[in-house]
Amino acid sequence: MPSLLIRHATLLVAMDDADSRWPDGGLYVEDNVIRQVGPTGELPGQADCVIDARDMVILPGLVNTHHHFYQTLTRNLPAAQDATLFRWLRTHYPLWARLTPEAIYVSSKVAMAELMLSGCTTSSDHTYIWPNGARIDDQIQAAREMGLRFHAARGSMSVGESQGGLPPDSMVEDEDAILRDSRRAIEQYHDAARCAMLRIVLAPCSPFSVSRDLMRHSVELARSYGVHAHTHLAETRDEQAYCLQTLGRTPVELAEELGWVGRDVWHAHMVHPAPGEITRLGQTGTGVAHCPSSNMRLASGIAPVRLLRQAGARVGLGVDGSASNDGSHLLAEARQALLVARVGGDSAAMSAREALWLATRGGATVLGRDDIGYLAPGMAADFIGYRLDTLPLAGGAVHDPVAALVFCQPSPVDLSVINGRVRVQGRKLVDVDLPALIAHHNALARALVSGDR
Ligand SMILES: [Zn+2]
């Protein structure tokens, strides 16, 4: 059983209920599980691998609850730079229709690399377009190679333009085929065990691209396996108008009617719930992926995060797809969450501690995990370290090294351990040829836009 010792961290922040913090702190790990956390002097003196974390703050790994990895290929597309959601989607759909298994695999690796270098150790991904033979297996292979803890959401679209939906007819799948492949993915890959590196999620895309039947059948299928369900909901006023006109109910009312509330469901965005809906989402313990950068970028609005949390909803952070952020820096997303919470005029609307809580504990709860999100004996060995002697943190970390991570310019992570394996050290991904990966990815991105694949 390999052991790993992290010692002499300037500060170790457990993010546990007691908000435990240890100067000169450390961790002792056996295999993939934390065995001890605390002052370096109280930990074992030896291990198979020993890492000195002097001048670092150590935290639990960050958890990303919403993404579309493939969109790294279409970041910053000129034709969509100034669009709101529906026009933004219509601009991208024809390009995404050209995705291939290789493009899904390579773009997933790029998104994961960027997430991991920002401090993320667990991510969900919501891919809902599977053209040209692409499968969720392509992403799972990427996650295994990168060593990222992964909640793979098998997304889907089934209602095309001719049926009143938003996507082109050529991009939607047959509903029986979606459910068959969803069942296959669960049976082949879903791991319900503690410290699982891979879980499957069922994720119809949105009320304007799938049928009510598919929503209902997807969540029923997920529940029959104890698998969680995820979708986009209440993101924009356009979606609200679509739901009221086409379906005669608000997005949240639709979700309630179809069984899409509860502790095994989480919704991306939730920018526009009505006050009574916030109460009901809280009472049911429904989850929300708060995606502040994307919501600002697409002019969607500001999600009522404080009200949702006060009501009892589970809230975590999501960077959202790379074409509407246009990045995958999860620590930067925590900073955005703090800033946008305050923009309405309340400087106490969110603290740095709350922003980091959303990025760790909040995300873990949204994904339904009790084995990640804080550092304690028995938890999965997912933790990160940021150096404190860097330019962005100069003059900030000396006063408050934890809040500095959120208030100062977001730093790349210096150390990342996922499931007991060192994945980032010295700001570099271990065993990943990043320049080659980026070159491959950029060639695919150019080909996708030119149509020359
Ligand atoms: Zn999204």
Side-chain angles (χ1 to χ4, degrees), residues 200-204 218-219 222-223 227-231 260 264-267:
I200 300 294
V201 175
L202 299 191
S218 293
V219 78
R223 288 197 169 118
V227 161
H228 286 213
H230 177 51
T231 191
W260 274 79
D264 55 359
V265 169
W266 86 102
H267 299 293

Side-chain angles (χ1 to χ4, degrees), residues 66-68 126 232 235 268-269 320-321:
H66 187 63
H67 208 315
H68 311 286
H126 184 186
H232 295 95
E235 179 175 358
H269 303 297
D320 201 6

Side-chain angles (χ1 to χ4, degrees), residues 281-419:
L281 290 166
Q283 285 167 345
T284 51
T286 302
V288 171
H290 177 40
C291 307
S293 293
S294 175
N295 296 156
M296 288 188 273
R297 203 275 206 192
L298 295 173
S300 303
I302 301 173
V305 167
R306 172 164 273 200
L307 294 175
L308 284 161
R309 290 186 63 202
Q310 284 171 344
R314 298 169 293 126
V315 182
L317 294 182
V319 297
D320 201 6
S322 284
S324 68
N325 182 308
D326 299 336
S328 304
H329 200 300
L330 195 48
L331 184 63
E333 206 62 24
R335 184 168 194 262
Q336 295 281 49
L338 176 138
L339 295 176
V340 78
R342 296 179 176 198
V343 77
D346 180 4
S347 64
M350 187 179 292
S351 67
R353 153 94 188 156
E354 287 175 301
L356 285 174
W357 191 96
L358 289 175
T360 52
R361 299 286 299 272
T365 312
V366 164
L367 296 185
R369 303 211 53 146
D370 60 4
D371 53 356
I372 57 172
Y374 64 98
L375 303 178
M379 298 292 281
D382 289 9
F383 51 88
I384 53 175
Y386 295 97
R387 287 201 73 84
L388 297 171
D389 55 353
T390 62
L391 189 58
L393 299 183
V398 290
H399 306 301
D400 182 344
V402 183
L405 296 173
V406 181
F407 276 101
C408 300
Q409 274 301 312
S411 299
V413 80
D414 287 272
L415 171 71
S416 175
V417 173
I418 306 178
N419 209 39

Side-chain angles (χ1 to χ4, degrees), residues 162-193:
S162 67
Q163 304 300 312
L166 197 72
D169 286 356
S170 60
M171 295 186 68
V172 303
E173 290 179 272
D174 172 74
E175 297 199 351
D176 288 339
I178 290 167
L179 293 168
R180 243 191 339 269
D181 191 55
S182 299
R183 187 184 293 274
R184 175 194 72 85
I186 295 170
E187 293 190 348
Q188 189 169 346
Y189 291 116
H190 183 69
D191 182 357

